[in-house]
Amino acid sequence: MLIFSPITIRSVNPQPLPYLSFSHSISLPLPLTSLPTPSKSPHFPSFHINCIDAAQPFDYESHLKNRYIQSTSLKIAIIGFGNFGQFLSKTFLRHHTVLAHSRTNYADLANHLGVSFYADPHDLFEQHPDVVLLSTSILSTETLLQKLPFQRLRRNTLFVDVLSVKEFPRNLFLKYLPPDFDILCTHPMFGPESGKTSWAGLPFVYDKVRIGDEESRIKRCDNFLDIFEKEGCRMVEMSCMEHDKYAAGSQFVTHTMGRVLEKFGLESSPINTKGYETLLNLVENTKGDSFDLYYGLFMYNQNALEQLERLDMAFESIKKDLFGRLHQVYRKQLFGDNNGEVEKKRSLAQQLLGNGSLTEPPLDNVRQDGS
């Protein structure tokens, strides 16, 4: 759109001009006959052109970037917006839309983070999220799945869990979810404390239990896993059974030792060593987790009981080693130094054969030989 605005100027030079000059470096030739003569018009008209709808250069690179972001962006619904759910949402929000539902009303906190909170799961599922992520306690998972309104979701919705045990939620998903739903079992092996500064190098375990063959469903699963891969996580794909076997020997033992040391009353001192600082950090990391989580690690991992028994046996073995040496010290204090008596008995034992006879000849024989 061009807007012409006349400006009245006083003619200084009465010579006729062959051109009219326009702003924005535009010059248009006009016939000289159309120009008024200075003698007849003391005020010579001039025009400025303002371009309102001028075309801008097309930013093709930015356009492609926006299209890529839209194609990889997911709508993720988090069920269980507690400490861990909030922790994950802060990273999800960088490139994805996040919705949430929880028994506790976190509406104000969610709004502050930029998350849409729904008190009713029916309202949440009517938003048709691409991914439904369960971030609930292990103990409440089955009860929750029995109450969710799956009929309000799209038929091929991807369900993901982030529980610390894997075979248990896998079996629940296969039991309660409609057969068209995709299933991805995951375990981010870090939390708000260990991953508060960075996720780089931290292990993320996953098992693609059931992913449809359609390209869109495969891409959706990959886009979700890319969230953790782009944050620098060490991606580990393994079966749920393998995970629980390894987790019982690492995560459950770690939580057990942390809680034992917490009960012990481990405290910092002015002369902390590096090893002692490690133990203090262990207590700090584990005491932030609820006892329900620890109980779930024990109850719903069939390998946990074996590890607990092995810990108990190892502790008893160490006690026996300590008390065994202490017993020897007490004997010396009570009965004195019996080294001389012990040497006599050892010498006599060396003189005896297996049948109890002496290795040296009798004294009578010695006298006869010397006579």
Side-chain angles (χ1 to χ4, degrees):
M1 180 184 295
L2 299 179
I3 299 178
F4 294 85
S5 57
I7 299 177
T8 303
I9 61 174
R10 186 173 299 277
S11 176
V12 178
N13 187 359
Q15 297 296 326
L17 299 177
Y19 294 96
L20 279 180
S21 200
F22 295 85
S23 64
H24 297 286
S25 301
I26 300 176
S27 298
L28 298 176
L30 294 177
L32 293 176
T33 56
S34 63
L35 296 174
T37 61
S39 59
K40 295 182 179 179
S41 177
H43 299 90
F44 193 81
S46 179
F47 296 92
H48 282 290
I49 301 178
N50 298 318
C51 300
I52 297 178
D53 294 333
Q56 299 296 320
F58 183 71
D59 190 351
Y60 188 69
E61 184 176 325
S62 177
H63 179 69
L64 286 179
K65 181 179 179 180
N66 290 334
R67 287 185 59 184
Y68 173 77
I69 292 175
Q70 292 175 1
S71 66
T72 58
S73 179
L74 296 172
K75 186 185 292 185
I76 304 174
I78 300 177
I79 299 181
F81 201 59
N83 192 28
F84 195 71
Q86 297 166 25
F87 167 68
L88 292 177
S89 69
K90 294 174 184 177
T91 299
F92 292 171
L93 283 167
R94 294 176 188 171
H95 303 292
H96 305 279
T97 302
V98 180
L99 319 173
H101 163 73
S102 193
R103 289 179 299 179
T104 304
N105 188 352
Y106 290 109
D108 293 338
L109 177 59
N111 183 60
H112 176 72
L113 293 174
V115 175
S116 300
F117 186 83
Y118 296 86
D120 192 324
H122 290 261
D123 296 334
L124 175 69
F125 282 7
E126 284 179 351
Q127 306 306 312
H128 292 165
D130 302 302
V131 180
V132 176
L133 184 143
L134 265 62
S135 181
T136 59
S137 69
I138 301 173
L139 305 181
S140 63
T141 302
E142 184 168 13
T143 303
L144 174 70
L145 284 174
Q146 292 172 340
K147 296 179 179 179
L148 290 179
F150 301 124
Q151 72 277 6
R152 299 191 181 277
L153 295 169
R154 286 197 292 257
R155 287 183 302 168
N156 64 355
T157 303
L158 172 62
F159 265 72
V160 181
D161 85 283
V162 290
L163 303 186
S164 299
V165 293
K166 293 273 66 72
E167 282 196 281
F168 176 67
R170 172 187 178 276
N171 295 335
L172 291 180
F173 279 168
L174 292 174
K175 179 179 179 180
Y176 291 107
L177 293 183
D180 291 330
F181 282 18
D182 290 344
I183 299 173
L184 177 67
C185 289
T186 74
H187 182 194
M189 301 194 70
F190 50 89
E193 286 298 323
S194 55
K196 61 184 175 182
T197 56
S198 172
W199 295 2
L202 300 176
F204 179 86
V205 182
Y206 65 95
D207 183 10
K208 298 178 181 179
V209 178
R210 187 173 69 198
I211 305 296
D213 296 332
E214 292 89 341
E215 182 180 354
S216 60
R217 297 168 75 169
I218 296 174
K219 184 178 179 182
R220 177 180 59 191
C221 179
D222 292 339
N223 287 341
F224 180 80
L225 293 174
D226 281 347
I227 299 174
F228 299 89
E229 187 169 4
K230 289 178 179 178
E231 291 297 321
C233 290
R234 180 164 56 87
M235 308 298 286
V236 182
E237 184 173 8
M238 66 170 54
S239 69
C240 294
M241 181 181 297
E242 286 180 295
H243 168 275
D244 284 0
K245 178 181 177 181
Y246 290 123
S250 60
Q251 189 183 29
F252 178 72
V253 171
T254 301
H255 276 262
T256 299
M257 297 309 300
R259 291 187 176 274
V260 168
L261 293 174
E262 182 185 5
K263 295 287 186 181
F264 177 75
L266 209 64
E267 295 180 351
S268 181
S269 72
I271 55 172
N272 291 348
T273 62
K274 290 293 184 180
Y276 194 74
E277 289 286 350
T278 302
L279 295 180
L280 290 172
N281 291 334
L282 173 62
V283 174
E284 188 68 24
N285 288 334
T286 54
K287 74 177 183 180
D289 296 319
S290 66
F291 188 80
D292 282 349
L293 170 63
Y294 178 60
Y295 179 70
L297 293 175
F298 171 73
M299 185 69 181
Y300 296 102
N301 188 335
Q302 59 183 355
N303 303 286
L305 181 60
E306 177 187 352
Q307 297 299 323
L308 192 62
E309 291 176 345
R310 289 181 60 189
L311 280 174
D312 187 52
M313 291 171 59
F315 188 64
E316 289 297 327
S317 176
I318 292 175
K319 286 171 60 178
K320 288 180 180 178
D321 291 342
L322 290 174
F323 292 149
R325 292 197 176 186
L326 186 63
H327 181 70
Q328 296 176 7
V329 173
Y330 280 153
R331 284 186 61 86
K332 290 181 179 180
Q333 291 179 351
L334 290 174
F335 303 108
D337 187 6
N338 297 326
N339 288 338
E341 190 67 26
V342 170
E343 288 298 326
K344 290 180 181 178
K345 291 181 179 180
R346 183 177 300 168
S347 176
L348 179 60
Q350 292 175 351
Q351 297 177 29
L352 297 175
L353 295 173
N355 59 4
S357 60
L358 294 173
T359 57
E360 297 180 359
L363 295 178
D364 295 341
N365 296 337
V366 172
R367 290 193 187 99
Q368 290 176 1
D369 292 339
S371 57

